[in-house]
Amino acid sequence: MIGLISATAAGAAARDRLAAAWPDRTRVYEGPVGDAVRTAFAQCEQLVCFLATGAVVRLVAPLLSGKTEDPGVVCVDEGGRFAVSLLGGHAGGANELAREVGDLLGAEPVVTTATDAVDLAGLDTLGLPVEGDVAGVSRALLDGEAVALRAEVAWPLPPLPVAEEGSYTIRLTDRLVAAAERQAVLRPPTLVVGVGASKGAPVEEVLGLVEDALRDAGLSVASVAELATVDAKAEEAGIVEAARRLGVPLVTYSAGELAGVDVPNPSDAPLAAVGTPSVAEAAALVGGGELLVPKRKSAASPAMATCAVVRRPGRGRLAVVGLGPGARDLLTPRAKAELRRASVLVGLDQYVDQIRDLLRPGTRILESGLGAEEERARTAVEEARTGQAVALIGSGDAGVYAMASPALAEASDDIDVVGVPGVTAALAAGAILGAPLGHDHVSISLSDLHTPWEVIERRVRAAAEADIVVTFYNPRSRGRDWQLPKALGILAEHRAPRTPVGVVRNASRPDESSRLTTLGALDPATVDMMTVVTVGNTATRDIAGRMVTPRGYRWQSAQEGSE
């Protein structure tokens, strides 16, 4: 919960805007400011105080207990100009909260945490347990000193400016090891613990078995991702409570699913009891991985619990990101977030140049020139298969004549794939022209490099006969100068010469140009590969210099009848 505190009418107005926008996340604290701050500090995970920073400092100073315990505190000034992350920037989430508040209120977020100030991913913001010399390693990263990354298991980390060798080390491991001098240890959640238990098995026996098995195998309990068992044990109190105390989810599978998993130690007892020859081993192995601890029984007599431990390394992640038509303000927030998250960026060199300033330090860039789409797609998938967080970029929407198709053709189910939509050229051009896509429309690429012209022509003819608005991508290049006239000729067989045609070049970019002409007047020689051509249907009209296709035909018919 986010506590909201204000002292003046101006502060209350901004406070109420926040409360209205986040009704399920916020609670307004009324009354004397000092009392409100003390109460909210004790009850909430975060606070937004519409007060001077000095006043908030004096109010919260006696309440501070520790970096990991204190809530995040953000201050917003009376004028609503700044949202200051005052306390708990990382641990309390105040840095991100300041950005969210800034976006909502139109305030400038002020973040002074060192790693955030230079756009480094803080080791305590990666979502992984971290221990050891976190401050020293973070300082070394900030100072540009050589910091080595020792990744003992695969995990898709965000970009970090690391080297092969260094006097400081980041160790990524699920092993039960103590951090050495000048070393920070990250614990990725790579371990799945399968658990079986008799009815009424006490939590102490289940939990003790799990902890003993991990310790004896030299594995860290901080890297446990989940407990897994059979559906029939989903409500078994000892298992449920063990998961709660470990702070991990309890995942269950049907007996049929577990019976289909090949295990080294099947048994008749669970087969008779729950319908599968294995619970602990099968539940741990159902998602694949390496069996580190085979089925093991608890030490009690009789033993009422079993467990097995599997290492399931992190899956690589491929984000296919659409950058939009070129303007920075048409790049979506989700796309920006994926660019900052990726440790490897793959893309066409000219597209990389568009967003290079958004990348975090340590991002590895793999760029290439025109005509290497399939190679870029293969490279991105191969990098993801090594456990990396990869962003593959394309212009417009990555799924429209761009990189999503070749990438997904290469990718199998051994990596996670995320599609990030972008504003495609047809939409950017349409917004400039007016509303040409107000009714049914189709996009057709006139490039016959990958598609035979016979197929393209058949599609153009079908669109012409169906009276559908057509947007032509890749309409004309120096080596392909006859396809556009041919396509326009096909449309002209079904549409009048006065049919509006919109021509937009470099939509949303600094040298953008556009014009509205007609099917009979368009000169194909004025079109190139940077141009999008939109041809209206029989209902499309030029209204006040804008290209408009009505959503329905009734008002258009009435207008024509009055002419």
Side-chain angles (χ1 to χ4, degrees), residues 127-466:
L128 305 179
V130 59
E131 57 196 60
D133 188 9
V134 179
V137 174
S138 298
R139 187 168 53 250
L141 289 170
L142 287 167
D143 291 342
E145 295 188 45
V147 177
L149 174 64
R150 289 176 54 191
E152 298 172 18
V153 291
W155 197 260
L157 292 175
L160 293 167
V162 293
E164 292 187 6
E165 299 292 337
S167 55
Y168 289 84
T169 306
I170 299 170
R171 186 174 180 183
L172 183 70
T173 183
D174 55 18
R175 306 296 302 178
L176 185 60
V177 295
E181 185 180 359
R182 295 189 170 192
Q183 183 179 83
V185 177
L186 291 171
R187 305 286 191 190
T190 55
L191 303 178
V192 177
V193 181
V195 178
S198 302
K199 184 176 179 59
V203 61
E204 290 77 12
E205 183 173 344
V206 176
L207 188 59
L209 170 64
V210 171
E211 292 175 339
D212 289 347
L214 292 167
R215 183 182 60 253
D216 293 348
L219 300 170
S220 172
V221 69
S223 283
V224 175
E226 62 189 45
L227 292 193
T229 190
V230 67
D231 283 348
K233 297 296 178 179
E235 304 297 328
E236 187 63 48
I239 296 178
V240 172
E241 178 62 14
R244 190 194 70 79
R245 293 190 189 181
L246 290 169
V248 299
L250 176 62
V251 179
T252 65
Y253 301 96
S254 69
E257 287 179 282
L258 298 186
V261 179
D262 186 27
V263 298
N265 300 293
S267 173
D268 292 335
L271 181 61
V274 294
T276 173
S278 172
V279 172
E281 288 182 339
L285 284 167
V286 70
E290 176 188 3
L291 184 62
L292 302 180
V293 179
K295 183 176 71 174
R296 171 172 171 163
K297 294 182 179 181
S298 56
S301 184
M304 299 185 71
T306 61
C307 81
V309 182
V310 164
R311 175 181 288 138
R312 191 186 298 169
R315 289 162 59 89
R317 189 175 189 276
L318 173 61
V320 188
V321 181
L323 300 180
R328 179 58 62 85
D329 59 355
L330 291 182
L331 178 66
T332 67
R334 187 178 300 180
K336 292 179 184 178
E338 289 294 346
L339 295 176
R340 291 168 54 78
R341 176 175 180 165
S343 59
V344 180
L345 182 85
V346 182
L348 179 67
D349 47 14
Q350 64 189 59
Y351 298 151
V352 172
D353 289 340
Q354 289 180 22
I355 47 83
R356 197 182 297 270
D357 63 300
L358 297 177
L359 305 178
R360 276 180 155 162
T363 305
R364 184 157 55 94
I365 300 173
L366 304 175
E367 54 189 315
S368 53
L370 285 168
E373 288 85 357
E374 288 79 7
E375 179 184 342
R376 284 194 291 275
R378 282 193 295 271
T379 297
V381 171
E382 289 168 1
E383 289 288 336
R385 283 182 175 141
T386 66
Q388 302 287 333
V390 181
L392 174 63
I393 60 174
S395 67
D397 183 281
V400 180
Y401 303 121
M403 294 306 302
S405 294
L408 269 62
E410 292 287 336
S412 53
D413 63 358
D414 57 344
I415 61 173
D416 294 327
V417 178
V418 178
V420 182
V423 179
T424 190
L427 300 181
I432 294 165
L433 295 169
L437 309 182
H439 210 294
D440 297 336
H441 55 275
V442 64
S443 296
I444 299 177
S445 171
L446 293 182
S447 172
D448 56 359
L449 295 178
H450 301 288
T451 305
W453 174 254
E454 292 76 14
V455 174
I456 297 172
E457 182 176 347
R458 187 166 67 248
R459 292 171 179 171
V460 174
R461 194 169 299 280
E465 293 173 352

Side-chain angles (χ1 to χ4, degrees), residues 19-35:
W22 298 337
D24 299 327
R25 298 177 60 190
T26 57
R27 176 181 173 185
V28 174
Y29 285 79
E30 305 277 10
V33 170
D35 293 342

